[in-house]
Amino acid sequence: MNQFTTEIMYALARKEDLTEIFRQHLEAAINELLQTELTEFLGYSRYNREGFNTGNSRNGKYLRTFDTKYGTLNLEIPRDRNGEFQQHTLPAYDRRSDALEETVIQLYRKGITTSEIAELIEKMYGSFYTLQTISTITKAVTEQVQAFHERTLHSQYVCIYLDATYLPLRRDTVAKEAIHLALGIRPDGTKEILNYQVAPTESAGIWRELLETLKNQGIEEALLFVTDRKEIMNDFKQIHQTKEKEQAVQALSNFLTKWQKRYSKIIKKLEEQENLLTFFEFQSSIRSSIYSTNLIEGFNKHLKRNTKKKEQFPNEESLDRFLVTQFLDYNNKHDGHCHRGFSHDRDTLESMFV
């Protein structure tokens, strides 16, 4: 049973409307292709600040409906400021299309292999796409993964969250591998997935590689890094939940005394750290959202919910396509939206950077 069959079986078991599932996936795929077209036209990625001085830029969107065999799609046609961009993903005036290419692209985005797509298309429509044809159609999706890893990030972040989650991946055998993930919040309150690394297990070496990658992508300053030590985190959270720094100093002293014998190496490292209470330099209005890894852990739960239908990812390339699709959806959703508490303190946060 291949991945797509498993996904369909899952939907049937839940008595979901398969037509609506295809409609939603197709709508997302075409909207993504339209954004990719504009990126190619402008010559710089959405988050590359160096492109802001090219004389042209993104300028919102307009809505258009498009009828397909799966139902009506609600599409967002992007515009450029100079009014020169002409999209080619959709016919200029037609409101209908029965082409299979959109379906192929969406299946590929979901992590399904080219051979599985070719087999599925032949069964559903009686049309045979060679593996080479499908590879050509989906080339843009693969390039999107590389572009995500290489895009230029902003130079300053108020805080960067680091956490790992595990997803099933086939190499020689099937095993859950660690997705090392970094999520950042900029001084204007915008949050985004920064980058990720895949490895068999979570390790300090992979985290160092990821942080070096973020530096190479343009990050120069981060005021706070937020990570998790689960075994003793409940006690440690009590330090951050105090209202005044003086109370936190006392809570930290109590914490170190309590865990000294059981975790002597960890406690020794904590005692050598001078920045454990940097948290209290931030305004109280945003402390509740940055004193724990709840933000990134919530996103990791979202990833796992979206992979419950899959038995496994057949290779790392399919996992990369799935992950980058999820990350871009998250970043697009939160682009221009200020994280809670940040809207009232933007000036103060910006003044904290050197």
Side-chain angles (χ1 to χ4, degrees):
M1 181 180 295
N2 61 33
Q3 279 186 294
F4 187 75
T5 305
T6 301
E7 194 165 340
I8 294 297
M9 293 284 288
Y10 182 89
L12 290 174
R14 294 170 60 92
K15 297 182 179 180
E16 295 178 351
D17 184 354
L18 296 184
T19 301
E20 175 59 16
I21 291 175
F22 272 105
R23 191 202 67 78
Q24 292 175 358
H25 289 178
L26 183 56
E27 182 177 274
I30 294 180
N31 279 326
E32 187 172 302
L33 282 174
L34 289 167
Q35 288 294 336
T36 300
E37 266 203 89
L38 180 58
T39 295
E40 292 298 320
F41 174 79
L42 293 176
Y44 66 92
S45 64
R46 189 170 188 174
Y47 303 105
N48 189 335
R49 290 169 296 144
E50 294 179 359
F52 294 169
N53 298 319
T54 61
N56 200 358
S57 61
R58 289 170 170 77
N59 187 34
K61 60 198 175 187
Y62 66 90
L63 302 181
R64 174 182 172 186
T65 59
F66 194 73
D67 294 331
T68 72
K69 65 192 307 178
Y70 304 116
T72 300
L73 307 182
N74 298 306
L75 303 178
E76 300 175 347
I77 313 299
R79 296 182 293 198
D80 66 314
R81 193 163 298 280
N82 294 347
E84 300 169 351
F85 172 64
Q86 297 291 330
Q87 61 85 21
H88 299 285
T89 298
L90 299 171
Y93 302 104
D94 292 346
R95 297 283 176 173
R96 299 186 59 86
S97 174
D98 293 323
L100 300 182
E101 281 79 358
E102 295 94 337
T103 302
V104 171
I105 290 171
Q106 179 57 31
L107 295 177
Y108 195 70
R109 289 175 74 240
K110 301 296 286 184
I112 300 173
T113 65
T114 53
S115 59
E116 288 174 331
I117 294 173
E119 179 184 358
L120 175 66
I121 293 298
E122 185 174 16
K123 287 181 179 179
M124 292 179 64
Y125 299 98
S127 301
F128 180 74
Y129 278 17
T130 66
L131 297 183
Q132 182 58 47
T133 300
I134 292 176
S135 295
T136 300
I137 293 173
T138 56
K139 182 181 178 182
V141 183
T142 301
E143 292 176 347
Q144 189 178 64
V145 173
Q146 182 177 355
F148 181 83
H149 283 296
E150 297 177 352
R151 76 195 196 284
T152 301
L153 298 173
H154 287 252
S155 62
Q156 298 176 331
Y157 287 84
V158 173
C159 51
I160 294 178
Y161 301 81
L162 303 175
D163 194 33
T165 190
Y166 286 80
L167 296 178
L169 173 63
R170 172 175 287 279
R171 294 189 192 271
D172 294 330
T173 60
V174 178
K176 289 189 175 181
E177 296 204 5
I179 315 301
H180 299 66
L181 189 61
L183 187 157
I185 302 182
R186 303 200 297 263
D188 65 358
T190 300
K191 53 190 176 184
E192 60 181 323
I193 304 298
L194 304 176
N195 215 323
Y196 71 99
Q197 289 267 31
V198 179
T201 60
E202 184 177 359
S203 70
I206 298 299
W207 283 121
R208 282 194 295 270
E209 288 182 15
L210 179 55
L211 292 174
E212 187 64 30
T213 298
L214 298 181
K215 181 179 178 181
N216 292 336
Q217 287 181 264
I219 297 182
E220 298 175 0
E221 294 182 87
L223 300 180
L224 186 69
F225 282 88
V226 185
T227 60
D228 202 349
R229 294 178 182 271
K230 293 185 177 179
E231 291 187 71
I232 56 178
M233 184 52 67
N234 287 336
D235 274 4
F236 201 79
K237 283 181 179 179
Q238 295 179 17
I239 300 171
H240 290 159
Q241 290 173 346
T242 56
K243 294 184 179 180
E244 302 295 337
K245 188 171 183 178
E246 292 75 13
Q247 297 172 337
V249 171
Q250 183 60 51
L252 176 59
S253 177
N254 295 340
F255 173 87
L256 296 175
T257 300
K258 176 179 178 179
W259 294 101
Q260 176 65 48
K261 292 183 179 180
R262 187 173 178 183
Y263 297 105
S264 57
K265 291 183 179 180
I266 293 178
I267 296 303
K268 182 178 180 180
K269 289 183 178 180
L270 290 177
E271 289 176 333
E272 295 172 351
Q273 296 295 320
E274 299 179 355
N275 301 316
L276 288 178
L277 300 180
T278 300
F279 171 83
F280 282 93
E281 296 180 15
F282 293 87
Q283 293 72 27
S284 58
S285 60
I286 67 172
R287 289 179 192 169
S288 62
S289 64
I290 64 173
Y291 76 71
S292 74
T293 55
N294 288 347
L295 178 61
I296 193 169
E297 288 178 357
F299 178 77
N300 283 337
K301 290 179 181 178
H302 166 79
L303 280 183
K304 289 188 174 182
R305 283 196 301 270
N306 285 353
T307 59
K308 280 185 177 180
K309 304 173 186 179
K310 297 181 182 294
E311 295 176 339
Q312 66 194 40
F313 289 94
N315 50 53
E316 190 167 344
E317 289 183 355
S318 66
L319 175 60
D320 283 332
R321 294 195 304 270
F322 168 79
L323 289 174
V324 170
T325 295
Q326 298 296 313
F327 299 157
L328 290 175
D329 287 346
Y330 181 91
N331 291 351
N332 289 336
K333 178 180 178 181
H334 294 94
D335 186 29
H337 290 77
C338 187
H339 190 55
R340 67 179 184 275
F342 279 66
S343 59
H344 301 295
D345 298 302
R346 290 182 183 178
D347 293 340
T348 303
L349 289 169
E350 289 177 356
S351 68
M352 295 175 69
F353 290 93
V354 177

